[in-house]
Amino acid sequence: MAPAPAVQAYCYLPRLNRGRKVDFLIDTGAAGTCLHGGYALGLQSYMQENTIGTICGIGGSRPYFQERAILVFTDDKAHPVPCRTALGVQKILPEDIAKDPDILRMPCVLGRDVLNRWEFRYDVPHGEILLIVP
């Protein structure tokens, strides 16, 4: 079985002046881009309760904080390609972890809010994943 398509981007949150590299699973079924698991848990104390909304998906519905973010990808010449988006940050409660510790291993997802801006190519035989910026 081929590995799931994923890309890495530097995820910067201007309001917090914080950022780090994040591996995003490409999810063409997701409307938005979201941080999950350990990435989301590490940001919980900085999130604003008044930004919480509910996001629904195959696994049900969950609360997510909304945060403005800049995702910085790199092109084939290692030049930065920034992309502004409204990022969902999953709200994780202690009881969520107690009930299912694997919640901390959930992958972050790159959704159509970013994917629809560029051409996306997934070449399984050659192991290539490309986001083509015009």
Side-chain angles (χ1 to χ4, degrees), residues 47-107:
M47 295 292 98
Q48 297 175 325
E49 288 291 324
N50 64 340
T51 68
I52 288 183
T54 301
I55 295 180
C56 299
I58 291 174
S61 62
R62 301 268 319 159
Y64 282 77
F65 299 99
Q66 293 296 308
E67 188 70 38
R68 292 176 195 252
I70 301 170
L71 303 180
V72 183
F73 300 90
T74 54
D75 67 13
D76 58 347
K77 294 180 177 74
H79 296 123
V81 179
C83 175
R84 293 180 183 274
T85 191
L87 186 69
V89 179
Q90 182 184 22
K91 182 172 183 176
I92 300 174
L93 301 171
E95 54 265 28
D96 296 328
I97 299 168
K99 182 178 172 185
D100 182 10
D102 285 337
I103 196 170
L104 296 177
R105 295 180 34 204
M106 285 183 58

